[in-house]
């Protein structure tokens, strides 16, 4: 053992035993390499599927709670504060959810590093149940806003921690698809919300059922979580090596090849932690691990500084925030929240049913992403699908120019012969746009965790998630005023412009990360964006694996 190895390792406020790097079992001794070659794996395995599905329930709640609001608002009538909802009430009830999601994501990012990823999912479940019941019971507008805010905090926490949890557990050849499963749950949750909204909208106080039903999956997930493990990467960081090894043993096969992979991943993660400790100059200088809130604040400050100052981390942050920002600024959620309003404006007889087509298209095309994301790669799937979004938006803008919109939404008339074609073109254009969105932009940004090295993974993902919710809030607030000021033609043309800008940025700076181990992605961004190298090595990996 060399001198450096005798000193304690301090990372994430925990002291690693000084012999951490030497405590390999006999079988581990033989494996000198920490090269993680997972290309021989043919399927993710039952264990990973179960974990992904259990964790994905949070996605279902995210989708359900964001999707249910449009029908809830229509059916509340005078049930709250004994008066009809004003426009201000409606805006506050809608936007407090994304605003609290925005506040919660960085905070839970810190919690996930301190108490673990699983604990944050548990915490989010408690908030989901509390928020759902609060909304169902309340009799005032203020109470509704409080309930929606609690749900918002839950959505914000879950939306960042679930992709993080899944990507730290899944073997790299399937990581992309497993993270897309959580997007499938989100879009599926939105479809369920639209259907529940449609079923309950005519019932007396039906909205209380709509919002209250969200408590059920959360309670179910809470119970299931007791059977789920913490992620091996978090466990290693927290000094619980043996538990990490047990979890990895269940992720990989139990044969010789599987055991080698477990050891290689363990060594790789440990090496990454050591390098980070070295790089941060912490080895030996702090002597003992500090505890208490002061140490935590220092640690968070240190992590935040590392996120900005270290080149690779900064590039990861730029890519993750750029993708999350574009995911929202391309305007998709204005359709999610207001498509019924738009369809009513252009004269559809059953606007809620028509807007269900948006949610269903979103869900179905996320399935396409699930199938292709690891084969085609994140970068290529985006470069191919964003042009579809641009076409849809451009067609939408053109079609709006041919539709006479009523000055008042209430006076919208059902489609009559003669002005039938253009509203249908608008519907077709929106479906095209949503299909393009669901294949790439709707889910690739949630692959964010893989961009960051372990030391800043949680904080980096949390900041990117906050960017998503900040942009989401912006779109929610500005869509209706923009339709008035810029007209629908200008609004949709602007979203098309955002997509053009997104395509160029992705082409310039987003490297291909499909199939790389989490630890290799860090290496890719160390000296630059690594776009050309990553594309070359992705092609090579595909040739080697024959996929
Ligand atoms: O990935 C999800 C998904 O695309 C949803 O349909 C959308 O409403 C969310 O904003 C997004 O984050």
């Amino acid at each position: 053992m060399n001198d450096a190895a005798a000193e304690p390792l301090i990372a994430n406020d925990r002291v690693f035993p000084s012999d951490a790097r030497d405590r390999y079992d006999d079988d581990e001794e033989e494996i000198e390499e920490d090269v993680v070659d997972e290309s021989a794996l043919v399927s993710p395995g039952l264990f990973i599927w179960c974990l992904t599905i259990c964790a994905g329930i949070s996605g279902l709640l995210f989708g359900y709670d964001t999707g249910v609001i449009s029908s809830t608002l229509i059916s509340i009538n005078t049930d709250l504060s004994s008066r009809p909802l004003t426009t201000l009430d409606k805006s506050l009830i809608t936007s407090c959810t994304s605003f609290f999601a925005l506040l919660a994501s960085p905070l839970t990012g810190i919690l996930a590093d301190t108490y673990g990823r699983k604990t944050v999912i548990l915490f989010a479940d408690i908030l989901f149940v509390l928020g759902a019941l609060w909304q169902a019971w309340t009799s005032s507008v203020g109470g509704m806003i409080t309930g929606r805010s609690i749900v918002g905090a839950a959505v914000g926490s879950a939306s960042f921690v679930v992709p993080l949890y899944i990507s730290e557990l899944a073997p790299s050849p399937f990581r992309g698809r497993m993270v897309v499963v959580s997007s499938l749950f989100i879009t599926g949750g939105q479809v369920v919300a639209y259907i529940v909204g449609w079923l309950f909208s005519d019932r007396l106080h039906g909205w209380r059922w709509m919002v209250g039903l969200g408590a059920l999956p959360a309670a179910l997930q809470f119970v299931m979580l007791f059977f789920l493990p913490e992620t091996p990467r978090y466990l290693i960081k927290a000094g619980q090596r043996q538990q990490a090894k047990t979890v990895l043993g269940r992720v990989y096969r139990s044969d010789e090849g599987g055991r080698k992979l477990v050891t290689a991943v363990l060594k790789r993660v440990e090496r990454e932690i050591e390098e980070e400790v070295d790089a941060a100059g912490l080895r030996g200088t702090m002597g003992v691990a500090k505890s208490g809130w002061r140490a935590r604040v220092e640690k968070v400050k240190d992590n935040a500084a590392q996120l900005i100052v270290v080149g690779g981390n900064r590039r990861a942050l730029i890519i993750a925030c750029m993708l999350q920002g574009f995911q929202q600024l391309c305007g998709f959620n204005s359709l999610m929240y207001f498509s019924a309003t738009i369809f009513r404006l252009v004269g559809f007889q059953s606007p809620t049913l028509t807007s269900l087509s948006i949610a269903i298209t979103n869900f179905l095309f996320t399935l396409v992403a699930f199938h292709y994301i690891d084969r085609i790669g994140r970068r290529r799937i985006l470069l191919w699908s964003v042009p579809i979004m641009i076409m849809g938006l451009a067609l939408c803008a053109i079609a709006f120019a041919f539709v006479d919109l009523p000055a008042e939404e209430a006076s919208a008339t059902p489609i009559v012969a003669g002005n039938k074609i253009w509203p249908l073109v608008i519907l077709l254009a929106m479906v095209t746009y949503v299909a393009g969105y669901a294949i790439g932009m709707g889910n690739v940004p949630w692959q964010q965790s893989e961009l960051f090295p372990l030391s800043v993974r949680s904080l980096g993902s949390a900041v990117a998630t906050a960017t998503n919710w900040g942009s989401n809030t912006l779109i929610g607030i500005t869509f209706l005023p923009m339709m008035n000021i810029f007209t629908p033609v200008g609004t949709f043309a602007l979203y098309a412009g955002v997509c053009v800008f997104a395509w160029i940025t992705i082409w310039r700076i987003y490297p291909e990360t499909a199939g790389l181990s989490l630890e290799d992605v860090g290496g890719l961004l160390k000296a630059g964006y690594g776009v050309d190298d990553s594309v070359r090595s992705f092609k090579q990996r595909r040739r080697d694996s024959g996929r």
Side-chain angles (χ1 to χ4, degrees):
M1 204 198 301
N2 58 27
D3 285 350
E7 293 163 1
L9 290 174
I10 303 166
N12 194 33
D13 277 358
R14 324 249 175 186
V15 184
F16 285 78
S18 57
D19 61 345
R21 76 204 82 187
D22 294 324
R23 283 186 310 136
Y24 301 133
D25 299 343
D26 289 346
D27 58 329
E28 294 178 26
E29 289 281 2
E30 293 158 20
I31 298 161
E32 305 258 314
E33 287 278 314
D34 61 3
V35 175
V36 184
D37 179 12
E38 295 165 291
S39 56
L41 297 177
V42 284
S43 83
L46 189 63
F47 180 62
I48 287 294
W49 270 114
C50 291
L51 291 180
T52 308
I53 289 172
C54 292
I57 295 179
S58 300
L60 184 87
L61 290 159
F62 165 1
Y64 185 81
D65 279 304
T66 50
V68 84
I69 192 63
S70 55
S71 21
T72 308
L73 287 181
I74 299 175
S75 37
I76 285 176
N77 297 320
T78 54
D79 285 0
L80 293 179
S81 304
S82 312
R83 58 172 170 78
L85 293 178
T86 64
T87 310
L88 182 67
D89 294 338
K90 287 184 188 170
S91 313
L92 287 178
I93 291 172
T94 312
S95 52
C96 66
T97 308
S98 32
F99 182 65
F100 271 78
L102 164 67
L103 296 185
S105 32
L107 289 181
T108 39
I110 296 165
L111 288 183
D113 261 350
T114 314
Y115 300 105
R117 287 52 170 141
K118 202 177 110 172
T119 315
V120 173
I121 307 184
L122 274 171
F123 169 71
D125 277 335
I126 297 175
L127 292 180
F128 271 125
V129 174
L130 200 71
L133 298 182
W134 194 301
Q135 291 177 79
W137 248 266
T138 191
S139 54
S140 69
V141 172
M144 188 65 179
I145 294 174
T146 311
R148 294 294 301 164
S149 304
I150 297 173
V151 162
V155 170
S157 317
S159 62
F160 120 84
V161 81
V162 171
L164 172 67
Y165 181 79
I166 297 174
S167 53
E168 284 193 340
L169 272 153
S172 37
F174 316 106
R175 192 176 59 240
R177 302 178 77 186
M178 295 293 112
V179 174
V180 175
V181 171
S182 79
S183 294
L184 271 174
F185 273 98
I186 300 173
T187 53
Q190 287 170 333
V191 173
V192 175
Y194 271 56
I195 295 173
V196 169
W198 173 55
L199 290 177
F200 282 92
S201 53
D202 291 336
R203 298 199 180 189
L204 189 65
H205 308 311
W207 66 271
R208 292 192 188 275
W209 284 101
M210 294 179 204
V211 289
L213 277 175
L216 282 182
L220 179 73
Q221 192 189 40
F222 186 86
V223 176
M224 285 164 129
L225 272 174
F226 288 96
F227 301 97
L228 296 197
E230 188 42 91
T231 74
R233 285 166 171 92
Y234 171 78
L235 288 170
I236 297 174
K237 210 177 162 195
Q240 298 171 28
R241 187 176 195 277
Q242 200 47 49
Q243 283 97 317
K245 193 176 172 187
T246 312
V247 178
L248 283 171
R250 297 179 71 189
V251 172
Y252 297 105
R253 299 178 312 260
S254 55
D255 60 8
E256 178 66 19
R259 277 198 300 278
K260 278 191 176 160
L261 271 176
V262 170
T263 306
V265 172
L266 273 175
K267 289 190 173 181
R268 174 58 78 86
V269 178
E270 279 173 348
R271 189 171 61 119
E272 198 193 6
I273 296 175
E274 285 180 30
E275 280 174 6
E276 278 154 14
V277 174
D278 284 345
L282 291 176
R283 179 183 286 177
T285 57
M286 288 166 73
V288 287
K290 292 184 191 170
S291 59
W293 68 269
R294 261 174 204 282
R296 298 224 180 289
V297 172
E298 261 177 47
K299 184 70 201 162
V300 172
K301 274 197 204 156
D302 182 52
N303 273 356
Q306 273 192 52
L307 196 55
I308 312 281
V309 176
V310 178
N313 297 349
R314 188 175 54 245
R315 280 182 278 278
L317 188 68
I318 291 174
I319 297 172
C321 291
M322 174 270 297
L323 289 177
Q324 288 289 19
F326 284 139
Q327 183 193 77
Q328 296 302 320
L329 297 176
C330 69
F332 171 78
N333 278 311
S334 51
L335 297 193
M336 203 69 230
Y337 303 146
F338 303 110
S339 56
T341 315
I342 302 172
F343 290 138
R344 186 193 286 172
L345 264 179
V346 298
F348 277 94
Q349 267 163 344
S350 179
T352 9
L353 213 57
T354 316
S355 59
L356 187 60
S357 62
I358 297 292
I360 290 179
T361 308
N362 192 23
F363 175 72
L364 290 180
F365 281 84
T366 309
L367 279 173
V368 177
F370 171 75
H371 189 68
Y372 285 112
I373 191 158
D374 286 320
R375 296 160 208 228
I376 295 183
R378 289 75 163 131
R379 176 182 158 84
R380 219 162 13 142
I381 216 169
L382 277 176
L383 290 178
W384 287 358
S385 60
V386 172
I388 303 177
M389 294 168 68
I390 299 172
M391 266 163 30
L393 286 167
L395 184 61
C396 201
I398 294 169
F400 264 112
F402 293 93
V403 177
D404 290 329
L405 295 176
E408 289 290 321
E409 189 196 316
S411 65
T413 45
I415 304 172
V416 288
N419 64 1
K420 222 185 229 168
I421 283 296
W422 289 109
L424 287 177
V425 175
I426 290 176
L427 176 62
L428 177 77
M430 284 185 178
V431 166
T432 309
Y433 162 66
V434 172
Y437 171 86
I439 295 174
M441 203 50 111
N443 59 78
V444 174
W446 291 119
Q447 307 282 342
Q448 58 190 15
S449 314
E450 68 185 12
L451 295 165
F452 299 97
L454 187 56
S455 62
V456 291
R457 185 171 296 145
S458 172
L459 189 62
S461 311
V463 174
T465 308
T467 310
N468 178 298
W469 288 109
S471 315
N472 183 319
T473 311
L474 188 71
I475 285 295
I477 292 174
T478 54
F479 178 69
L480 292 179
M482 271 179 28
M483 292 280 274
N484 279 331
I485 301 166
F486 301 141
T487 72
V489 178
T491 306
F492 284 94
L494 189 70
Y495 290 151
V498 171
C499 290
V500 173
F501 189 50
W503 192 92
I504 297 170
T505 320
I506 292 163
W507 177 65
R508 297 282 314 263
I509 69 168
Y510 186 37
E512 186 50 76
T513 51
L516 289 180
S517 79
L518 288 183
E519 291 69 33
D520 282 335
V521 179
L524 187 67
L525 293 170
K526 260 186 186 143
Y529 286 101
V531 173
D532 293 341
D533 285 350
S534 71
V535 172
R536 251 194 312 275
S537 65
F538 176 67
K539 283 186 186 152
Q540 186 59 46
R541 275 198 302 284
R542 289 197 65 204
R543 267 197 297 273
D544 292 348
S545 68
R547 278 185 200 144

